[in-house]
Amino acid sequence: MILIPCLPAISRKIGKRNIALLGGLIGVGGQLLLTLCPDSAVWLIICSLLKGVGSVMIMGTIFAMVADTIEYGEWKTGERIEGVLYSTTSFGAKVGGGVGSAMVMGLLGQAGYDGLAAQQGAAAISMIKMLFLYFPIIPVLALMPVLLYFYKLDKIYPQVMKDLEEREGK
């Protein structure tokens, strides 16, 4: 809650893409640190705070980056399609969340997880630890930097807005 109001000022200085990348690095750092001492409650809280800061930086900029693509699309094509863009973004988030949840549930099922059991078996506990400690590192370290590498809109956005203002003025 403290960091969110600061993001616009930081964004003007370093750009949305760089905030998201920095947030990813902070989040991964917190996740990697968590693997050093996963059984400590205090350490879990400290690392979760780091991961939270990283998540705020990512989530606080990703949707603003989506909004920027509306102007970019209008600049490129002359058509403003924010309804289509937001609905496909929402649809993609829902599908991604569903597929991700199904994968996690499938892996837990394969490991013998039983939600009604008083105690889980060793394989289920190992899978829970793997999913909690290591699995979040994969998308942030492997996928997010690659996707953000191709996001170049921060650099041309001022020109896009200037051109749109001139176009609307005519």
Side-chain angles (χ1 to χ4, degrees):
M1 297 298 286
I2 296 167
L3 184 58
I4 291 172
C6 302
L7 289 177
I10 299 169
S11 172
R12 284 189 287 279
K13 291 203 184 289
I14 67 170
K16 294 177 194 87
R17 182 192 89 135
N18 293 335
I19 290 174
L21 277 171
L22 181 60
L25 290 173
I26 292 170
V28 165
Q31 192 69 35
L32 289 172
L33 287 171
L34 180 59
T35 64
L36 298 177
C37 190
D39 297 325
S40 167
V42 172
W43 191 244
L44 172 68
I45 292 168
I46 292 168
C47 294
S48 293
L49 285 171
L50 276 175
K51 289 171 30 179
V53 167
S55 293
V56 164
M57 294 173 76
I58 294 168
M59 298 309 294
T61 56
I62 291 293
F63 292 107
M65 291 165 72
V66 170
D68 289 351
T69 63
I70 294 168
E71 279 82 20
Y72 177 78
E74 182 181 5
W75 180 69
K76 270 299 221 197
T77 67
E79 292 185 48
R80 190 170 178 88
I81 56 168
E82 63 263 16
V84 172
L85 185 64
Y86 282 125
S87 63
T88 55
T89 300
S90 176
F91 177 76
K94 286 174 177 50
V95 169
V99 169
S101 295
M103 287 173 50
V104 167
M105 292 299 110
L107 289 169
L108 286 172
Q110 290 290 337
Y113 177 82
D114 180 1
L116 299 176
Q119 186 172 345
Q120 298 299 323
I125 290 172
S126 292
M127 181 59 71
I128 291 167
K129 285 182 178 180
M130 192 274 303
L131 289 170
F132 182 74
L133 294 173
Y134 304 107
F135 189 74
I137 296 169
I138 296 165
V140 178
L141 273 182
L143 187 59
M144 193 175 79
V146 171
L147 294 174
L148 287 173
Y149 173 79
F150 293 104
Y151 184 85
K152 307 290 187 202
L153 189 51
D154 278 352
K155 292 178 183 172
I156 65 168
Y157 191 73
Q159 184 64 45
V160 168
M161 293 308 294
K162 181 181 174 202
D163 291 351
L164 286 174
E165 287 172 9
E166 288 176 5
R167 198 182 297 170
E168 288 176 14
K170 293 179 183 179

